[in-house]
Amino acid sequence: MDDTNQDLKNSSRRQLLKGALVGGAVMGAPGVSSAQSLLVQKNGDASAPIAAYVFLTPIEASFVEAFVDHMVPADQFTPKGTDLGINIFIDRALAGSWGKGDRMYMQGPWSVGLPTQGYQSPLLPSQVYRAGIAATNQHCESLYGKTFDLLDTSKKEEVLKSLDSGKMVFEGGLSSKFFFDIAYKSVIEGLYADPIYGGNSNKAAWKMIGFPGVIETNARNIVEYKNKFYPGKVLGIADVS
């Protein structure tokens, strides 16, 4: 793939991620890049503390890092997914109340639901992630002789399209489409969540779309800066606490 085609693909994916912000909800888990457990959080501060994975195993962390970097490649607007801390956001969310299903109805019956009916699975989100990663890596090893993180860009794309379409079949009954939908949503949430939760490092995603953050005057700004670049300071929760 030449540089022009890669730039176009990155740009297309970037527009998809920006569009997915509409109606998105933040999973939430307080909290950037090596699968070997110790990671530097890049929040614009060279003295930022080292953050360790609290849920993901090294193999799972390698998958998540490869996944978020593929979905959010570096370009002229923002760094890649791991440099934005999306992998850390996902790890904290899986270890926290969302991953444990604390606010979900988990007593069945487990019928196949409609998309409008919300989460429909006897598995906790953390269990879906763990099982989905293992099954996807097994598929990759069977087909390519490598785990997902070691594949080249084009093969990663093939694998993700197979997950998204539901064509990949997992043993044990978990839907590959269900796994992909949860993983994709967590990338979007990690990209646009307040940096206090581990992702959106240095508020880069907010700056990319012109979102001012948590300031109280945002309703007025929506009118004043409609279709214009927001020139003010972008504030997160930590900035006003």
Side-chain angles (χ1 to χ4, degrees), residues 3 6 12 27 46 51 65 96 112 131 146 165 170-171 200 218 238:
D3 292 341
Q6 186 63 54
S12 176
M27 294 186 298
E65 291 179 359
V112 178
K146 301 177 182 178
S165 66
F170 291 162
E171 294 181 5
N200 191 15
N218 190 43

Side-chain angles (χ1 to χ4, degrees), residues 48-223:
I50 299 295
Y53 284 123
V54 294
F55 176 84
L56 297 169
T57 67
I59 291 175
E60 292 167 345
S62 294
F63 178 97
V64 170
E65 291 179 359
F67 180 65
V68 302
D69 282 345
H70 187 87
M71 297 302 298
V72 187
D75 63 12
Q76 68 269 37
F77 300 110
T78 62
K80 63 184 179 179
T82 49
D83 287 341
L84 287 167
I86 299 175
N87 51 318
I88 294 298
F89 172 89
I90 292 172
D91 177 68
R92 299 299 185 266
L94 291 170
S97 59
W98 176 78
K100 297 172 183 176
D102 286 352
R103 299 178 67 181
M104 297 177 178
Y105 180 82
M106 300 297 296
Q107 298 181 32
W110 307 115
S111 301
V112 178
L114 300 173
T116 53
Q117 293 176 315
Y119 193 89
Q120 298 286 329
S121 175
L123 298 177
L124 300 174
S126 58
Q127 293 172 324
V128 172
Y129 238 100
R130 182 148 280 164
I133 289 173
T136 304
N137 272 336
Q138 184 178 39
H139 169 87
C140 293
E141 288 180 320
S142 297
L143 193 60
Y144 305 113
K146 301 177 182 178
T147 53
F148 177 79
D149 58 298
L150 298 178
L151 300 179
D152 61 33
T153 300
S154 62
K155 287 185 173 60
K156 284 190 177 89
E157 189 79 7
E158 290 175 5
V159 170
L160 295 180
K161 286 181 177 179
S162 182
L163 289 171
D164 186 26
S165 66
K167 292 180 180 178
M168 190 183 300
V169 178
F170 291 162
E171 294 181 5
L174 176 64
S175 162
S176 60
K177 170 67 173 174
F178 185 64
F179 165 61
F180 179 84
D181 286 347
I182 289 179
Y184 174 76
K185 183 179 180 182
S186 65
V187 170
I188 299 301
E189 291 170 338
L191 178 63
Y192 291 111
D194 190 285
I196 199 171
Y197 297 110
N200 191 15
S201 180
N202 201 29
K203 310 177 190 76
W206 287 355
K207 294 172 183 176
M208 176 180 71
I209 62 173
F211 179 63
V214 299
I215 58 176
E216 295 180 359
T217 56
N218 190 43
R220 185 182 67 208
N221 289 331
I222 291 173
V223 177

